[in-house]
Amino acid sequence: MKTKLQQFKESYFLYSFRRDMVAMASFVVLVIFLGIAFAAPWISPMNPYDSANIDIMNSEIPPMWMDGGSKEFPLGTDNQGRDMLSTMFYGLRTSIIIGLGAVAIQAAIGIVLGLMAGYLGGKTDAILMRLADIQFSFPYLMVAIFMSAIFQVVFGAGSFEQLAIPLLTIIIGLSNWPMFARTIRASVMGEKNKEYVEAARVIGLPQRIIMFRHILPNALTSVMVISTIQVANAVMSEAALSFLGLGMPVTKPSLGSLIRAGQEYFFSGSWWITVLPGLWLVLFVLVINLLGDWLRDVLNPKLYKG
Amino acid sequence: MIAFIIRRFLQAVVVMLVISLVVFAIKKEFGDPVRDLVGERVTPEERQQIADKMGLNDPFLVQYGRFVKNAVTKGDLGRSFLYNKPNLEVIITHAPATIELVLGTAFIIIVLSLPLGVYCALKPRSWLSRFTMSFSTLGVSMPVFLTAILLIYLFAVHWQILPSYGRGETVDLFGNGIWMTGLLTIDGLKHLILPCISLSTLMLPLFIRLIRSEMMEVLETEYIKYAWAKGLSPRRVWLVHAFKNTLLPVITVFGVQIGIMFAFTLLTELVFQWPGMGFMFLEAVNRADLSLLIAYLVVVAASFVVVNTVVDILYGFINPTVRIAGTK
Amino acid sequence: MSSLLEVRDLEVKFGLRSGDITAIDGVSFELDPGERMGLVGESGAGKSVTGFAIINLISKPGYISRGSIHFEGKEISAYPPDKMRTIRGNRISMIFQDPMMTLNPVYTIGFQMIETLKAHRDISKSQARAIALEKLKLVQMPSPEKRLAQYPHELSGGMRQRIIIAISLLADPAIIIADEPTTALDVTIQAEIMDLLQELCENEKMGLMLITHDLGVVSQVTEKIAVMYAGKIIEYGPTETVVHHPVHPYTIGLIGSIPGSIEPGKDLRQIPGMMPTLTNIPPGCAFNPRCELAADICTRQTPVLEEKQNGIMAACHMK
């Protein structure tokens, strides 16, 4: 008998990964990004979310290789006097927490509803899918924008700021579940009439067990591919919301709010406040997308189009 | 075909009813129509009187019925205290700017994605295809607002060849003050270039990829092989036989993506200070004008439903299979 | 008199990353004007590839690596694409296997017929339409006028195959290559289509190359048979003789497996084992692992196609 590890070592998955330089490089960069995000509180020179550490006198200091730069702030400071490097580490951490959390919510809703719709069929299917259709006909970013806008107007910007991270996670999670639900449903529809499911039903296994133990594993490749793409989407949504002023507040800037804050200083010469977090964000999303493309090519699941 | 259109239309009505119910519930729970009408300086007694007069203490369903009736028959979507005008009027005067932005972007996308997508499908190994495909991955990963900021920096600040903010010179299209267009003046067109480019960087990669993959799939089909066997020229096989079959799924996606583009106009409008609906929306959020916010939501939802319905019907006209299914 | 079509030592390879695979290995045959020939074999034997190779329409990454294809006195195997186009659908027409997939779903029958004519003749649309109508009548299509305005999905499989036959007749070709033309159809319609095809070829003096796995069909329609196995022709001769007095053990097995070829009540014979895939063809005679007569030489030396008896050519050491 081969162990799971041996099986994995000999798999086509690992083989094609090793052959693909882009996939490997993206993976390495992604791991570094995740490491930085995780370790941000320990490796950052300062805590940019704590106003006690910020001195407005230090605002708009350029990166250390430019005239006027200082070693204390290797990548310069923003318009409030925060260390750019620390803020980018913390911003990345925030973006990743929200991105992963939102995708977890999307996947949970999507998997449960998709399994129900696909397996139970009939009225449940019709109602759930109409619901998904309705939400799907609106862009998820629009839905997210409306949700946070209404929340902000109704409860005031102050309470929004305090709850920003969990709120954004929930909002982005709720705004994009139909993608998961539809894909899961499609693979359930394909699986459910196969003989092994029939057999499980004949033995008298309860529906819940058939759905989760027997059908779901077959949909997992699709879930994996979508999750990757959705994490990228969620991070982009968070950045967009923050840029619009509907996301992370300036007191706890994410990458999107940093770019927003830096925008007006950009044209007067302080380019680093916008450009550095911008590059940071683009690089992060790019490696996720590259990995997602690669996963899609290798696993080639039947994804829902459009 | 008529049955198909009717069914599609009924679906649209149901969707609108669901949305209006949600929206009305929010409005009822959190809105303050009295303030919208008379401002904040009134006594509690006066408020109560006005609320009674406006029917704000009626049962929920009665109020909802009145809301829908007013919206449908009179186009009454409430008042904006921010602009001190009916919401619909505020939205309509801001709409042309956004619509022109979306039209310009759609134009860029169509003109570029069709030839590039088809080319990448036909010659997947050429350097132009490889370049396009790598560039499209980068494009997908680039936030619209960042592209917009960089474009402004390069073209408006650094080289100073294009304007950076606003719509520029506009003229009144119908002479009634509603549709101010920037499409008819050189200055207006110049102002459109950067916002449209930055907005198109979002969708362009997606469409090139979509057209490429659909076209590649179609090129593998039996009927394309048969078209070759009939001795047709490559131009005819590619542009007549493969292209039309490629377009069918692309049109559906295009309808959806135009909607998504509306969402992203918010970002471009903010960066370019573009006086459209998105800009108005952000203003409404900042000033807590819930009434306008909700009216905007209704209008956006309605236009989405209309666009989706029209796209579906259009699809039915192009695709003979759907047309027949509809008449049966 | 020289033949209409003469294929000599044709070899087709598929270029894969792991190396080239030979799909057709030295196939030779000829077809006289108006002659009907059957190309028989199991799926994967290379019969379709041979058909497509004639009009140089092998799916990528396949290519003709050797041999000659002589047609109407010209060598066409190395024709450039635009010269090849003057032959495809004009001098040599093809009928595909599945009529449900062959017609473009988004264009009308009339559109797809007229464009074919206009690709090969310098004629007006109304002239093309008249020819299309005439050919639809020729394939006994009911209410042909109406068909021109219809889309493929409005017609049944049998009707569509008639239309495809009509399209293949449009330019009055010298040869029709029909690749399993009835496999995808209902049994009742199969006979109709086959009869129609035979009748048309006889009346219009057209050559027919019928590619099929069904020896029964071939024996009724064709005058000549080539049996293919693992990319090679292993038996080649007049239909009558091959069907009644086959030489090669594989052909004998094939005929033995047709229902009705033996007395009622007895079991049908079947050939043990499976045809090798192109990547692992055994050395010597490719059929040797399944052959009852196989001897030592069969695993060492590849037999060549040579004249055996009654004008039949066969590739077998043991006969």
Side-chain angles (χ1 to χ4, degrees):
Chain A
M1 271 300 281
K2 287 178 183 169
T3 63
K4 281 254 161 88
L5 185 70
Q6 273 171 331
Q7 276 181 19
F8 178 72
K9 274 186 182 163
E10 288 164 18
S11 66
Y12 171 69
F13 187 76
L14 192 68
Y15 169 77
S16 48
F17 180 70
R18 288 194 152 164
R19 282 183 54 112
D20 194 325
M21 285 302 292
V22 177
M24 282 216 286
S26 306
F27 186 72
V28 170
V29 176
L30 183 64
V31 168
I32 295 174
F33 268 116
L34 291 176
I36 289 175
F38 180 76
W42 298 285
I43 57 171
S44 301
M46 65 183 263
N47 179 357
Y49 287 4
D50 185 351
S51 55
N53 292 334
I54 303 167
D55 185 352
I56 192 77
M57 295 304 288
N58 289 334
S59 67
E60 289 190 68
I61 296 175
M64 56 188 249
W65 63 86
M66 285 173 66
D67 282 349
S70 106
K71 279 224 171 83
E72 199 188 341
F73 305 108
L75 294 180
T77 60
D78 74 352
N79 53 319
Q80 308 275 321
R82 287 189 199 92
D83 173 40
M84 283 303 295
L85 185 68
S86 311
T87 318
M88 279 161 62
F89 285 177
Y90 269 78
L92 180 73
R93 184 182 163 90
T94 310
S95 294
I96 288 178
I97 290 174
I98 294 175
L100 292 180
V103 172
I105 293 178
Q106 290 170 16
I109 302 178
I111 287 172
V112 170
L113 295 188
L115 279 179
M116 276 168 65
Y119 193 76
L120 301 177
K123 279 225 172 81
T124 325
D125 183 31
I127 293 172
L128 286 177
M129 282 303 115
R130 282 264 38 117
L131 210 66
D133 276 350
I134 294 176
Q135 186 167 340
F136 217 59
S137 62
F138 298 94
Y140 64 92
L141 182 63
M142 201 88 181
V143 177
I145 288 173
F146 278 140
M147 281 201 268
S148 38
I150 287 175
F151 192 90
Q152 213 172 86
V153 168
V154 169
F155 295 107
S159 53
F160 189 94
E161 276 183 25
Q162 284 184 335
L163 294 170
I165 291 183
L167 260 178
L168 284 172
T169 312
I170 294 171
I171 285 172
I172 297 171
L174 285 181
S175 67
N176 212 355
W177 62 271
M179 181 78 186
F180 273 98
R182 284 190 162 190
T183 313
I184 299 277
R185 175 178 173 274
S187 35
V188 174
M189 299 299 252
E191 269 335 289
K192 83 168 180 186
N193 291 323
K194 291 205 177 145
E195 277 163 29
Y196 74 96
V197 176
E198 196 68 33
R201 208 174 353 222
V202 171
I203 313 172
L205 287 182
Q207 287 194 333
R208 191 165 34 86
I209 304 244
I210 297 180
M211 286 201 279
F212 281 94
R213 290 255 180 85
H214 295 265
I215 295 187
L216 187 59
N218 288 290
L220 278 185
T221 34
S222 322
V223 172
M224 217 165 119
V225 173
I226 301 178
S227 301
T228 334
I229 304 167
Q230 292 297 77
V231 170
N233 277 340
V235 169
M236 288 285 253
S237 305
E238 185 276 325
L241 284 173
S242 299
F243 183 79
L244 289 174
L246 298 170
M248 293 303 292
V250 265
T251 48
K252 291 177 188 163
S254 70
L255 298 176
S257 14
L258 262 182
I259 296 172
R260 171 191 171 88
Q263 190 196 346
E264 45 188 302
Y265 301 90
F266 186 14
F267 306 126
S268 58
S270 303
W271 54 268
W272 58 90
I273 309 177
T274 296
V275 172
L276 293 180
L279 284 177
W280 193 235
L281 177 67
V282 171
L283 189 62
F284 178 61
V285 175
L286 183 67
V287 292
I288 302 183
N289 276 333
L290 287 172
L291 272 177
D293 281 356
W294 172 81
L295 268 182
R296 187 174 42 197
D297 289 347
V298 172
L299 301 176
N300 192 23
K302 289 182 188 66
L303 288 183
Y304 181 81
K305 268 190 208 163
Chain B
M1 191 66 202
I2 291 170
F4 171 71
I5 293 176
I6 291 175
R7 208 175 49 212
R8 202 59 198 76
F9 181 74
L10 283 179
Q11 276 175 13
V13 170
V14 171
V15 172
M16 271 323 288
L17 280 177
V18 172
I19 290 169
S20 66
L21 194 62
V22 173
V23 160
F24 180 74
I26 300 172
K27 188 186 171 85
K28 174 91 188 65
E29 199 59 34
F30 305 109
D32 189 352
V34 179
R35 182 194 64 172
D36 296 344
L37 191 66
V38 293
E40 302 197 350
R41 288 190 216 113
V42 278
T43 62
E45 289 79 25
E46 280 174 311
R47 288 184 66 95
Q48 199 53 46
Q49 271 183 348
I50 299 170
D52 271 343
K53 216 159 134 196
M54 290 171 74
L56 293 178
N57 298 326
D58 292 348
F60 181 84
L61 278 180
V62 175
Q63 291 192 44
Y64 172 65
R66 193 158 51 217
F67 171 75
V68 173
K69 193 177 136 213
N70 284 345
V72 175
T73 54
K74 294 187 242 162
D76 177 8
L77 291 173
R79 270 185 90 78
S80 155
F81 84 88
L82 178 62
Y83 291 87
N84 196 21
K85 275 183 201 163
N87 283 325
L88 195 64
E89 193 186 318
V90 177
I91 294 170
I92 285 178
T93 48
H94 282 86
T98 302
I99 293 173
E100 286 179 6
L101 187 60
V102 171
L103 284 181
T105 311
F107 176 77
I108 295 180
I109 290 176
I110 293 171
V111 165
L112 288 182
S113 71
L114 286 178
L116 278 176
V118 169
Y119 180 82
C120 288
L122 294 177
K123 305 261 182 293
R125 283 160 194 281
S126 78
W127 67 267
L128 180 62
S129 303
R130 285 163 194 254
F131 177 78
T132 309
M133 293 314 288
S134 335
F135 209 74
S136 76
T137 309
L138 185 64
V140 172
S141 314
M142 189 93 172
V144 173
F145 52 89
L146 192 63
T147 319
I149 294 174
L150 295 178
L151 283 175
I152 293 181
Y153 177 73
L154 285 179
F155 289 90
V157 179
H158 193 71
W159 293 321
Q160 304 198 337
I161 44 176
L162 284 171
S164 54
Y165 295 121
R167 292 183 76 189
E169 192 187 339
T170 55
V171 288
D172 196 341
L173 192 59
F174 301 115
N176 56 6
I178 291 177
W179 194 296
M180 301 300 290
T181 180
L183 297 177
L184 296 179
T185 62
I186 303 282
D187 189 48
L189 287 174
K190 267 187 171 171
H191 278 81
L192 257 175
I193 295 176
L194 289 183
C196 288
I197 291 179
S198 56
L199 199 50
S200 65
T201 52
L202 178 77
M203 300 287 168
L204 195 55
L206 200 139
F207 275 96
I208 293 176
R209 280 158 170 249
L210 180 73
I211 291 169
R212 171 179 172 271
S213 65
E214 291 292 339
M215 182 96 174
M216 286 175 116
E217 214 166 280
V218 170
L219 286 176
E220 292 295 308
T221 58
E222 283 289 295
Y223 56 81
I224 292 300
K225 198 166 186 189
Y226 186 61
W228 289 115
K230 290 200 298 185
L232 303 180
S233 66
R235 272 176 72 104
R236 197 157 173 97
V237 175
W238 290 333
L239 299 185
V240 176
H241 281 265
F243 190 60
K244 190 166 173 188
N245 284 284
T246 303
L247 270 192
L248 290 177
V250 173
I251 287 177
T252 333
V253 179
F254 193 73
V256 177
Q257 297 297 325
I258 287 256
I260 296 184
M261 217 142 74
F262 266 100
F264 281 90
T265 52
L266 255 79
L267 295 164
T268 26
E269 287 186 9
L270 179 63
V271 179
F272 289 98
Q273 310 269 307
W274 192 262
M277 290 193 287
F279 205 62
M280 175 205 81
F281 171 81
L282 292 172
E283 198 98 305
V285 174
N286 285 339
R287 304 286 298 276
D289 189 344
L290 186 68
S291 169
L292 179 56
L293 217 63
I294 278 177
Y296 176 65
L297 211 158
V298 171
V299 171
V300 168
S303 39
F304 272 43
V305 170
V306 170
V307 167
N308 283 343
T309 310
V310 169
V311 167
D312 273 7
I313 292 173
L314 209 67
Y315 186 81
F317 271 109
I318 307 175
N319 187 350
T321 333
V322 174
R323 202 184 310 166
I324 295 307
T327 51
K328 265 177 195 165
Chain C
M1 189 189 121
S2 72
S3 307
L4 174 65
L5 174 71
E6 203 177 316
V7 175
R8 280 282 155 259
D9 198 24
L10 182 69
E11 186 184 75
V12 172
K13 286 188 172 172
F14 281 79
L16 300 181
R17 220 172 284 169
S18 48
D20 283 7
I21 288 178
T22 310
I24 307 282
D25 188 0
V27 160
S28 305
F29 59 86
E30 57 272 331
L31 198 66
D32 290 332
E35 193 180 26
R36 298 187 299 281
M37 177 181 127
L39 198 55
V40 189
E42 291 172 67
S43 46
K47 41 192 204 313
S48 291
V49 178
T50 309
F52 281 107
I54 292 170
I55 55 171
N56 206 346
L57 204 66
I58 314 165
S59 310
K60 277 185 182 159
Y63 64 99
I64 297 175
S65 47
R66 200 181 65 207
S68 77
I69 299 167
H70 228 65
F71 174 68
E72 291 185 330
K74 290 178 198 98
E75 176 59 39
I76 63 167
S77 64
Y79 261 15
D82 43 328
K83 228 169 164 190
M84 199 66 218
R85 274 211 314 278
T86 61
I87 294 187
R88 289 181 192 150
N90 186 22
R91 302 305 303 148
I92 303 179
S93 296
M94 273 205 83
I95 297 172
F96 283 22
Q97 180 169 359
D98 188 352
M100 308 306 267
M101 318 284 270
T102 309
L103 294 166
N104 193 328
V106 300
Y107 291 111
T108 59
I109 306 296
F111 180 95
Q112 300 188 51
M113 293 187 84
I114 290 166
E115 70 166 0
T116 313
L117 266 167
K118 294 202 71 166
H120 300 295
R121 304 263 186 286
D122 193 14
I123 53 175
S124 73
K125 209 175 154 186
S126 59
Q127 284 171 310
R129 202 183 132 88
I131 298 177
L133 267 178
E134 177 200 319
K135 301 297 179 190
L136 283 177
K137 283 177 194 146
L138 209 57
V139 298
Q140 296 146 31
M141 177 61 74
S143 44
E145 293 268 0
K146 198 175 134 202
R147 304 299 164 217
L148 288 181
Q150 280 180 315
Y151 286 93
H153 63 88
E154 299 173 59
L155 303 171
S156 69
M159 297 266 254
R160 288 194 218 182
Q161 200 62 308
R162 274 175 201 272
I163 287 185
I164 290 161
I165 294 176
I167 293 177
S168 66
L169 296 175
L170 282 172
D172 301 314
I175 301 177
I176 292 182
I177 300 174
D179 184 9
E180 306 265 12
T182 57
T183 320
L185 301 176
D186 285 347
V187 184
T188 45
I189 298 168
Q190 286 187 2
E192 265 177 45
I193 295 285
M194 234 38 252
D195 290 346
L196 174 71
L197 210 52
Q198 181 178 6
E199 200 186 302
L200 285 169
C201 289
E202 276 173 11
N203 295 345
E204 314 281 319
K205 300 272 178 295
M206 271 181 314
L208 175 69
M209 199 171 131
L210 182 63
I211 298 170
T212 177
H213 62 277
D214 188 345
L215 253 175
V217 169
V218 171
S219 61
Q220 285 158 24
V221 177
T222 64
E223 300 153 327
K224 186 155 98 179
I225 289 185
V227 182
M228 287 191 78
Y229 189 81
K232 285 190 172 70
I233 291 182
I234 49 104
E235 181 148 8
Y236 180 50
T239 305
E240 266 296 307
T241 337
V242 172
V243 170
H244 294 295
H245 310 285
V247 174
H248 198 283
Y250 176 65
T251 320
I252 297 173
L254 267 189
I255 290 169
S257 63
I258 305 174
S261 65
I262 40 176
E263 292 165 43
K266 282 193 176 174
D267 282 350
L268 283 173
R269 300 221 338 245
Q270 56 173 354
I271 312 172
M274 290 201 343
M275 195 174 70
T277 54
L278 294 174
T279 42
N280 56 356
I281 293 177
C285 174
F287 187 60
N288 80 66
R290 304 170 73 184
C291 186
E292 293 171 351
L293 306 174
D296 197 30
I297 184 174
C298 301
T299 57
R300 284 187 285 108
Q301 201 179 330
T302 312
V304 289
L305 197 64
E306 55 195 6
E307 179 138 4
K308 298 289 184 184
Q309 58 187 42
N310 310 333
I312 290 185
M313 314 261 287
C316 181
H317 294 300
M318 308 315 292
K319 294 277 178 147

